[in-house]
């Protein structure tokens, strides 16, 4: 058996400086330089490695889900900071409102959730607790 002491997720970006500013200044996560990239610390204490990649292609799936107490207020705060939350424009695909929020709890179709992208185009979400 392999003796593994820990594990952590990671994803690529095309601009480490922009990622540092976005994850640190806009989302308010602790960010530090690590192994030639960045280490984000999530509210749970889990570390996430963000590494530069010249041939970066944005993840087409959600790489991080951020739980929030007040989804509407948090979406408004992100929008005020210049973050576009309505990334799915087909109202039939997720049934989002004008701000991009899918109110799944009201329709019995999952959680209340909203998607957005980081500066490198990776998909992230806000999800109601």
């Amino acid at each position: 058996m392999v003796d593994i002491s820990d594990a952590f997720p990671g994803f690529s970006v095309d601009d480490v400086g922009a990622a540092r500013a976005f994850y640190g200044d806009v989302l308010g996560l602790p960010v530090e330089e690590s192994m030639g990239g960045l280490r984000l610390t999530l509210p749970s204490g889990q570390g996430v490695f963000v590494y530069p990649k010249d041939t970066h292609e944005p993840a087409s799936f959600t790489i991080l889900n951020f739980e929030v107490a007040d989804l509407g207020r948090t979406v408004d705060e992100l929008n005020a900071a210049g973050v576009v939350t309505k990334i799915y424009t087909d109202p039939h695909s997720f049934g989002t409102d004008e701000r991009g929020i899918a109110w799944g709890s009201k329709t019995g179709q999952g959680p209340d959730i909203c998607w957005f992208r980081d500066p490198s185009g990776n998909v992230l979400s806000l999800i109601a607790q």
Side-chain angles (χ1 to χ4, degrees), residues 1 12 17 19-20 36 49 52 58 63 71-72 83 88 113:
M1 175 182 276
S12 70
R20 173 189 284 281
F49 181 53
I63 61 168
L71 183 59
V83 176
Y88 297 111
I113 188 168

Side-chain angles (χ1 to χ4, degrees), residues 10 27 30 49 56 65 71 74 80 120-121:
L27 297 185
F49 181 53
H56 167 76
N65 297 286
L71 183 59
T74 307
S120 293

Side-chain angles (χ1 to χ4, degrees), residues 95-121:
T96 60
D97 67 10
E98 67 281 353
R99 294 184 294 171
I101 301 172
W103 297 103
S105 66
K106 295 178 184 176
T107 62
Q109 297 179 351
D112 296 340
I113 188 168
C114 179
W115 293 272
F116 59 106
R117 296 183 188 277
D118 74 4
S120 293

Side-chain angles (χ1 to χ4, degrees), residues 35-50:
M35 300 185 289
L38 302 173
R39 176 187 166 92
L40 310 179
T41 302
L42 302 178
S44 66
Q46 172 68 54
V48 177
F49 181 53
V50 178

Side-chain angles (χ1 to χ4, degrees), residues 6-63:
D6 199 3
F8 57 89
F11 61 89
S12 70
V13 296
D14 57 11
D15 184 333
V16 172
R20 173 189 284 281
F22 180 77
Y23 287 99
D25 299 338
V26 176
L27 297 185
L29 297 175
V31 179
E32 60 188 49
E33 291 184 20
S34 176
M35 300 185 289
L38 302 173
R39 176 187 166 92
L40 310 179
T41 302
L42 302 178
S44 66
Q46 172 68 54
V48 177
F49 181 53
V50 178
Y51 57 93
K53 184 176 179 188
D54 291 336
T55 58
H56 167 76
E57 291 188 27
S60 60
F61 52 88
T62 307
I63 61 168

Side-chain angles (χ1 to χ4, degrees), residues 72-92:
R73 186 186 83 233
T74 307
V75 165
D76 290 342
E77 290 170 356
L78 282 182
N79 290 161
V83 176
V84 175
T85 52
K86 187 174 180 174
I87 66 171
Y88 297 111
T89 57
D90 179 2
H92 303 291

